[in-house]
Amino acid sequence: MAKLNDVEIDDLLKSCLDLEPEALSSEFERMSGDFGYWNAKLRLAKRRYLTAKWGEEKLSSELYLEKKHPSDGSKPPSEGGVDAAIKADPRYEPARLELIEAEYEVDYLKGILTNLLLKKDMLVSLGASVRQEMQGDLRMKDRADIKR
């Protein structure tokens, strides 16, 4: 595990987010691969999230019917009582936790892609600065040649 400031991250993520100004060309070359990789991970995480959401909603609906219409013939609880009974049911917790984990993963990957976009913008800016410096150096050389 690598560290980015005080946060532990995996080595691959650190290598994607690190910026080496003296290696602009290789940094530009790897950007499309980095975007492709993290977008693919986001796509899979989004599928997992949507599947977990559907599973949680389906279970919640089944539990609603079960709690709203008790099979023992007792008086149905209020809407608040039904919601509380659903959340207290031991079958509901794993589905809810899976949904929370899936949503967290989607948000995490969106953050990585946002950082990659910022890195791309920084690379473009650095590239422009280097190009401007190189043009300035050429102008200085031209002036020196003219004076000779």
Side-chain angles (χ1 to χ4, degrees):
M1 287 295 247
K3 280 198 140 205
L4 186 64
N5 297 326
D6 62 339
V7 178
E8 284 195 14
I9 60 173
D10 65 44
D11 294 330
L12 174 64
L13 176 56
K14 181 154 177 36
S15 73
C16 288
L17 297 179
D18 277 347
L19 179 64
E20 295 181 38
E22 50 289 331
L24 288 179
S25 185
S26 62
E27 289 284 353
F28 272 115
E29 289 170 7
R30 81 174 277 179
M31 285 304 296
S32 63
D34 289 346
F35 273 112
Y37 175 79
W38 293 105
N39 267 316
K41 286 191 68 108
L42 177 60
R43 181 181 54 83
L44 294 173
K46 187 70 173 177
R47 176 184 287 169
R48 181 174 164 241
Y49 166 76
L50 292 171
T51 302
K53 184 176 179 188
W54 176 78
E56 187 266 347
E57 289 172 353
K58 182 176 183 246
L59 178 62
S60 184
S61 296
E62 291 168 359
L63 291 173
Y64 178 86
L65 292 173
E66 182 181 300
K67 306 297 181 189
K68 185 67 176 172
H69 307 290
S71 59
D72 63 3
S74 61
K75 182 181 176 207
S78 66
E79 287 298 315
V82 171
D83 287 342
I86 290 170
K87 289 177 181 163
D89 192 292
R91 296 171 288 176
Y92 182 74
E93 184 178 349
R96 184 68 183 158
L97 288 174
E98 184 179 347
L99 178 61
I100 290 168
E101 284 295 318
E103 186 173 10
Y104 166 82
E105 184 70 14
V106 167
D107 288 344
Y108 175 75
L109 291 167
K110 283 180 179 178
I112 290 172
L113 286 164
T114 298
N115 280 292
L116 284 173
L117 285 171
L118 292 171
K119 179 181 177 178
K120 180 188 82 100
D121 291 346
M122 289 173 63
L123 284 170
V124 168
S125 179
L126 282 169
S129 295
V130 167
R131 192 170 35 257
Q132 193 173 28
E133 285 177 17
M134 289 172 64
Q135 287 174 347
D137 288 346
L138 288 175
R139 278 189 236 129
M140 294 298 285
K141 185 178 180 224
D142 288 346
R143 287 183 190 157
D145 289 343
I146 291 172
K147 288 183 181 179
R148 288 186 195 166

